[in-house]
Amino acid sequence: AQTVTQSQPEMSVQEAETVTLSCTYDTSESDYYLFWYKQPPSRQMILVIRQEAYKQQNATENRFSVNFQKAAKSFSLKISDSQLGDAAMYFCAYRRGQGAQKLVFGQGTRLTINP
Amino acid sequence: GAVVSQHPSWVICKSGTSVKIECRSLDFQATTMFWYRQFPKQSLMLMATSNEGSKATYEQGVEKDKFLINHASLTLSTLTVTSAHPEDSSFYICSAVGGGPSYNEQFFGPGTRLTVL
């Protein structure tokens, strides 16, 4: 079974600084997707960024980028120029292959932004 | 686009009663919907996968007779918590898969907070 591990229950960063959230996963599949989701206090899940396993290039979305190390099964999220609105729970998630497959979530990291 | 709604957003019920939660894809057709449960300060745990026109697939440890799922149309799935007890109090989240160019992305509803007294 696939597992996703986030070893940092809480992280904090000064506003405008950069922070990196860690995620490791375990799978025997070769075709899969990795995601970072943000869950603010409203509890609405928001997709931050996705990475296809077959792509070597790391995904980026504005201030958000990932460091995808396939051999090490590591998928970290870097948030640059942190803003107060970035404060939330962040979940790393794994989905196998194609089609409507279920997501497997990590335990989550609570990110606090200090003004 | 790709909006998913849930109704109600919160509900309080007495122990022993049944509660129905609706999940709707508002602007796309969803052949597959997922139901998750989230306890305070914890992650999302998948309860079941709901496919339109067929029986839901439940995760190990989830009581199918307690958590009834019906996916009657391409835009609506319902979760009914039968004979609810205080331990069923939780935050329930649904997601819908739209297919197309969205990499089979899951679009999440805003969640339903259930409190059983």
Side-chain angles (χ1 to χ4, degrees):
Chain A
Q2 295 84 13
T3 59
V4 178
T5 302
Q6 293 178 250
S7 58
Q8 305 156 315
E10 296 182 354
M11 291 284 285
S12 64
V13 64
Q14 290 294 127
E15 192 176 3
E17 297 294 309
T18 296
V19 64
T20 298
L21 308 184
S22 301
C23 173
T24 58
Y25 60 95
D26 188 24
T27 184
S28 58
E29 304 283 338
S30 59
D31 182 15
Y32 56 88
Y33 293 80
L34 297 166
F35 305 84
W36 279 98
Y37 284 90
K38 170 184 178 181
Q39 189 181 42
S42 68
R43 302 192 78 170
Q44 172 73 58
M45 296 291 284
I46 301 167
L47 177 64
V48 175
I49 199 165
R50 80 164 65 80
Q51 174 78 45
E52 295 90 335
Y54 65 86
K55 288 188 177 180
Q56 292 186 335
Q57 186 173 8
N58 290 323
T60 63
E61 288 287 344
N62 300 314
R63 298 183 295 108
F64 299 86
S65 62
V66 298
N67 184 3
F68 175 45
Q69 299 292 324
K70 191 171 183 178
K73 295 181 181 175
S74 170
F75 182 61
S76 61
L77 174 69
K78 185 172 80 171
I79 305 174
S80 304
D81 185 25
S82 297
Q83 300 176 0
L84 295 177
D86 295 333
M89 282 291 290
Y90 285 82
F91 293 99
C92 178
Y94 165 99
R95 195 198 81 202
R96 59 181 291 191
Q98 303 299 317
Q101 303 287 345
K102 65 181 181 182
L103 288 168
V104 177
F105 288 92
Q107 303 91 325
T109 297
R110 179 171 300 281
L111 178 64
T112 301
I113 312 295
N114 300 313
Chain B
V3 178
V4 177
S5 69
Q6 278 185 244
H7 178 79
S9 56
W10 59 271
V11 56
I12 301 173
C13 69
K14 293 182 179 180
S15 185
T17 61
S18 294
V19 175
K20 179 183 285 188
I21 302 170
E22 293 185 348
C23 177
R24 293 182 184 272
S25 56
L26 299 184
D27 50 5
F28 66 100
Q29 293 184 331
T31 54
T32 300
M33 292 183 175
F34 297 92
W35 286 95
Y36 297 87
R37 185 174 182 177
Q38 186 179 30
F39 289 108
K41 298 185 179 182
Q42 294 190 23
S43 186
L44 282 72
M45 296 298 295
L46 179 67
M47 299 176 65
T49 302
S50 169
N51 291 297
E52 186 266 338
S54 63
K55 290 184 177 181
T57 302
Y58 291 82
E59 294 298 299
Q60 192 172 9
V62 177
E63 300 176 60
K64 61 179 67 177
D65 293 332
K66 181 165 188 62
F67 299 99
L68 300 179
I69 292 172
N70 184 24
H71 194 156
S73 77
L74 288 172
T75 59
L76 173 65
S77 177
T78 60
L79 167 67
T80 302
V81 183
T82 63
S83 186
H85 291 284
E87 57 265 31
D88 298 324
S89 298
S90 189
F91 194 68
Y92 293 87
I93 304 174
C94 73
S95 69
V97 179
S102 62
Y103 301 90
N104 288 302
E105 180 180 336
Q106 290 189 31
F107 299 97
F108 286 85
T112 297
R113 182 179 302 281
L114 170 63
T115 300
V116 184
L117 302 178

